[in-house]
């Protein structure tokens, strides 16, 4: 409540697909005075939001992940189904991504999942392509295939067709493998194909960020 009633500095929230930004603005006679006024408020916002804050004065989540990988000397590869290469695009939009990004596999067809990534045919037949098991095998498979420290697997139903009562449109499984440790997340997206795909890519990036932080701590 105290922060909401502030007049100088002010806090303005901005929402984008899968992410929110808080712009904090101060008015003062000099830049130095403004920065002195801003810092306590920035610290308070970061404290309130905690683990959900991925950075201050950064352009994007992919920038933060790229900087973390670079600082650790780690490499990344991704295997994408429903996102169709979107995660790879966001990663490689950044100059210098070649320092940590080795490549990606857009494994739309099950034949690509099995032949290139090593996903088990029995798994596909028993639980289907959209499953946590397949996402996990995709992440492991691409990391092994490209010899990287981090592997990401994404499989799901972006829509508008292809959903069922058991596996509705918007269901996405995202798995991140980091040097032998693995986490898999079930995501339920909505509001259209593009939003589901962007939400899945952002979730994958945030999962990488959190796992790298856990490794550091």
């Amino acid at each position: 409540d105290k922060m909401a009633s502030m007049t100088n500095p002010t806090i303005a929230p901005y929402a984008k697909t899968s992410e929110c930004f808080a712009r904090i603005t101060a008015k003062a006679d000099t830049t130095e005075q403004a920065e002195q006024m801003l810092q306590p408020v920035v610290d308070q916002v970061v404290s309130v939001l905690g683990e959900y804050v991925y950075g201050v004065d950064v352009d994007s989540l992919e920038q933060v992940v790229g900087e973390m990988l670079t600082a650790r000397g780690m490499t990344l590869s991704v295997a994408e189904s429903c996102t169709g290469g979107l995660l790879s695009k966001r990663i490689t939009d950044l100059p210098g991504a070649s320092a940590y990004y080795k490549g990606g596999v857009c494994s739309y067809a099950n034949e690509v999942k099995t032949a290139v990534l090593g996903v088990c045919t029995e798994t596909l037949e028993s639980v289907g392509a959209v499953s946590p098991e397949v996402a996990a095998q995709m992440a492991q498979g691409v990391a092994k295939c490209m010899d990287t420290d981090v592997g990401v697997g994404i499989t799901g139903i972006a829509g508008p067709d292809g959903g069922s009562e058991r596996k509705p449109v918007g269901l996405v499984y995202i798995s991140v493998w980091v040097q032998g440790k693995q986490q898999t997340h079930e995501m339920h997206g909505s509001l259209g194909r593009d939003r589901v795909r962007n939400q899945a890519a952002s979730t994958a990036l945030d999962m990488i960020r959190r796992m790298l932080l856990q490794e550091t701590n």
Side-chain angles (χ1 to χ4, degrees):
D1 292 341
K2 182 179 178 181
M3 286 191 289
S5 62
M6 294 174 59
T7 56
N8 188 26
T10 60
I11 305 173
Y14 293 87
K16 58 182 292 188
T17 303
S18 306
E19 300 175 47
C20 292
F21 291 85
R23 186 188 71 187
I24 305 173
T25 307
K27 297 179 180 180
D29 293 333
T30 67
T31 301
E32 291 76 13
Q33 289 176 338
E35 289 178 349
Q36 289 176 1
M37 295 168 63
L38 286 172
Q39 195 57 54
V41 180
V42 171
D43 292 343
Q44 188 174 2
V45 171
V46 170
S47 176
V48 169
L49 297 177
E51 64 178 311
Y52 298 103
V53 176
Y54 65 71
V56 176
D57 291 330
V58 296
D59 293 328
S60 64
L61 185 52
E62 47 265 41
Q63 176 193 344
V64 172
V65 170
E67 291 174 351
M68 293 177 74
L69 290 167
T70 300
R72 291 161 175 77
M74 298 173 71
T75 54
L76 166 70
S77 60
V78 303
E80 304 180 65
S81 185
C82 66
T83 45
L86 178 61
L87 178 57
S88 291
K89 178 191 179 301
R90 286 179 55 175
I91 292 168
T92 56
D93 278 346
L94 298 177
S98 58
Y100 49 85
Y101 178 75
K102 280 198 175 183
V105 176
C106 189
S107 55
Y108 245 49
N110 284 348
E111 295 89 337
V112 178
K113 292 180 177 70
T114 55
V116 178
L117 300 174
V119 174
C120 294
T121 302
E122 292 81 2
T123 305
L124 287 165
E125 292 175 349
S126 61
V127 295
V130 180
S131 61
E133 293 87 349
V134 168
Q137 290 182 31
M138 288 170 64
Q140 294 170 19
V142 77
K144 181 179 180 180
C145 176
M146 300 199 184
D147 189 26
T148 57
D149 302 295
V150 182
V152 179
I154 303 176
T155 180
I157 307 168
D161 303 316
S164 65
E165 184 175 349
R166 191 166 66 91
K167 295 184 179 182
V169 168
L171 175 65
V172 181
Y173 291 101
I174 305 157
S175 190
V176 177
W177 181 95
V178 180
Q179 295 179 331
K181 296 182 180 180
Q182 190 159 19
Q183 292 183 5
T184 303
H185 175 76
E186 180 178 306
M187 186 197 93
H188 293 270
S190 60
L191 303 177
R193 181 179 179 85
D194 289 344
R195 189 177 182 89
V196 169
R197 286 154 60 102
N198 273 290
Q199 184 179 348
S202 292
T203 300
L205 288 164
D206 194 52
M207 288 175 66
I208 298 169
R209 178 185 72 88
R210 289 170 182 262
M211 289 187 71
L212 291 178
L213 284 175
Q214 290 175 5
E215 291 295 305
T216 302
N217 297 332

